[in-house]
Amino acid sequence: MRSCLMAAQLLVSATAAASYRCVFMPGLGWPNSSAPTANDTDSYWGGDSNINKLTPYCSSRTYIHQDTLTRGWDNAELQQAVCEAGLGEGTNDTVIRNTVFFAHSMGNLIFADALRQKACSLDASSYFVAISAPWYGSKASQVLEESCSNSSAGEAFHWLANKLHRCDPDRLGKVFLAYESLHPAYPAFEGLAEFAAQQVSFAMCGHSPYGLTSVYSAAMEGLARAIGFGEKNDGMVPLSSCLLPGKAYETHWQSAFYSAGINHVDGTLRSGDGSLGLPSRQPSKWVSSLFTRHSETVLV
């Protein structure tokens, strides 16, 4: 009887979890803005077939397309656009309800600061999922700026740097404003991580520049060497910058706060999971089971 009751409870929980509206916010690098879409049109998250499979708890999906290259993460206009997408159409207030908000990289800073500035807010039925967030910035921004006027770096490094669209053609030798806003000394970082720790429900950080084997692995490893973090990192963000204060991170995908053997690009979920089933290399499994684990933990 107890087994049947628990099974029924799990089924109810799974059914309820499948009713969330899901919103996806990408990181730095998008040069223009357009209206949100219901499809992963840029394949930032691995394309519709990938992200749909990984988020069975989503009843709908909204993908944000905003300029995250020529504006810093604390830009008020950018934050307002992100909040509007998070709120959805037909909303008369600024409270985001029954929504799972996924953010990658700088997207986390944009959304967290929008919440801090009260451009919008999350109610108890909503969740903030933070992936590969640079809560304290990254010295990568400094090295990438230096690369805009230095051609001596390795081929793999420049291949990735070009992919990142880092150099501003209107400001010779300078990176775009978004990169400048990731400098660890950027004033707006003060207090942001502490605030975000109160808002984020689930978080994943990477600690391997090579990460999951992909076309980006060698370049991310080369970038990490060029930057010289001096600590574990995901190729773009040092682990210490991604970890939220007061949260216990574990190296198993069943943890709500997950320190994974992945690189920064792997955090977009486009590379799948690691081979051999190692629990520290399962970003996709972590995302797909967020609410399954939550339901099971409550019932056991």
Side-chain angles (χ1 to χ4, degrees), residues 126-200:
S126 295
Y127 300 87
F128 183 175
V129 182
I131 302 174
S132 308
W135 296 117
Y136 299 96
S138 174
K139 64 186 293 187
S141 62
Q142 299 163 266
V143 175
L144 287 169
E145 179 157 16
E146 292 169 6
S147 76
C148 289
S149 56
N150 177 12
S151 59
S152 63
E155 182 178 342
F157 174 84
H158 276 292
W159 175 84
L160 181 60
N162 288 330
K163 281 276 189 182
L164 295 172
H165 308 293
R166 85 287 189 197
C167 301
D168 188 342
D170 296 325
R171 302 188 305 155
L172 190 62
K174 295 288 188 180
V175 288
F176 281 102
L177 289 175
Y179 285 100
E180 287 189 355
S181 73
L182 290 179
H183 192 292
Y186 195 65
F189 276 119
E190 185 175 357
L192 182 66
E194 291 74 16
F195 175 82
Q198 302 171 23
Q199 303 293 322
V200 172

Side-chain angles (χ1 to χ4, degrees), residues 24-26 30 36-52 54-55 61-65 268-270:
F24 298 85
M25 177 65 201
W30 298 100
T37 60
N39 302 98
D40 185 16
T41 54
D42 301 307
S43 293
Y44 186 93
W45 302 92
D48 290 336
S49 61
N50 179 62
I51 199 64
N52 291 356
L54 298 182
T55 54
R61 296 170 183 83
T62 298
Y63 298 88
I64 298 174
H65 307 280
T268 65
L269 311 175
R270 67 184 73 167

Side-chain angles (χ1 to χ4, degrees), residues 3-298:
S3 297
C4 291
L5 177 59
M6 289 184 68
Q9 289 175 311
L10 282 169
L11 180 59
V12 169
S13 296
T15 302
S19 64
Y20 290 113
R21 176 175 176 267
C22 292
V23 179
F24 298 85
M25 177 65 201
L28 183 154
W30 298 100
N32 46 54
S33 299
S34 59
T37 60
N39 302 98
D40 185 16
T41 54
D42 301 307
S43 293
Y44 186 93
W45 302 92
D48 290 336
S49 61
N50 179 62
I51 199 64
N52 291 356
K53 177 181 66 178
L54 298 182
T55 54
Y57 40 80
C58 299
S59 59
S60 67
R61 296 170 183 83
T62 298
Y63 298 88
I64 298 174
H65 307 280
Q66 283 293 314
D67 172 3
T68 56
L69 187 62
T70 69
R71 301 180 288 186
W73 54 265
D74 57 340
N75 179 276
E77 182 182 9
L78 171 58
Q79 293 181 1
Q80 184 60 40
V82 169
C83 277
E84 289 174 1
L87 289 162
E89 297 180 358
T91 302
N92 296 320
D93 59 20
T94 60
V95 181
I96 298 173
R97 297 181 174 85
N98 201 45
T99 297
V100 182
F101 194 102
F102 291 89
H104 177 248
S105 189
M106 193 180 81
N108 291 283
L109 309 182
I110 298 166
F111 186 55
D113 198 41
L115 296 175
R116 182 168 63 165
Q117 302 303 329
K118 296 182 170 52
C120 54
S121 63
L122 295 169
D123 79 346
S125 67
S126 295
Y127 300 87
F128 183 175
V129 182
I131 302 174
S132 308
W135 296 117
Y136 299 96
S138 174
K139 64 186 293 187
S141 62
Q142 299 163 266
V143 175
L144 287 169
E145 179 157 16
E146 292 169 6
S147 76
C148 289
S149 56
N150 177 12
S151 59
S152 63
E155 182 178 342
F157 174 84
H158 276 292
W159 175 84
L160 181 60
N162 288 330
K163 281 276 189 182
L164 295 172
H165 308 293
R166 85 287 189 197
C167 301
D168 188 342
D170 296 325
R171 302 188 305 155
L172 190 62
K174 295 288 188 180
V175 288
F176 281 102
L177 289 175
Y179 285 100
E180 287 189 355
S181 73
L182 290 179
H183 192 292
Y186 195 65
F189 276 119
E190 185 175 357
L192 182 66
E194 291 74 16
F195 175 82
Q198 302 171 23
Q199 303 293 322
V200 172
S201 303
F202 305 98
M204 177 167 62
C205 297
H207 59 247
S208 168
Y210 185 88
L212 308 178
T213 301
S214 74
V215 66
Y216 293 97
S217 297
M220 293 300 292
E221 203 166 42
L223 179 61
R225 283 197 299 269
I227 294 168
F229 287 105
E231 63 172 284
K232 289 183 177 181
N233 63 87
D234 68 3
M236 277 292 291
V237 177
L239 184 59
S240 62
S241 182
C242 185
L243 301 178
L244 285 165
K247 302 299 182 182
Y249 286 76
E250 299 176 17
T251 56
H252 197 291
W253 60 268
Q254 290 182 320
S255 173
F257 292 84
Y258 184 28
S259 177
I262 62 172
N263 65 34
H264 201 68
V265 179
D266 297 333
T268 65
L269 311 175
R270 67 184 73 167
S271 300
D273 284 327
S275 59
L276 305 178
L278 295 176
S280 63
R281 292 164 53 82
Q282 308 296 314
S284 292
K285 184 175 288 186
W286 178 78
V287 165
S288 66
S289 59
L290 287 177
F291 293 97
T292 302
R293 292 199 308 278
H294 177 71
S295 297
E296 290 174 347
T297 301
V298 170

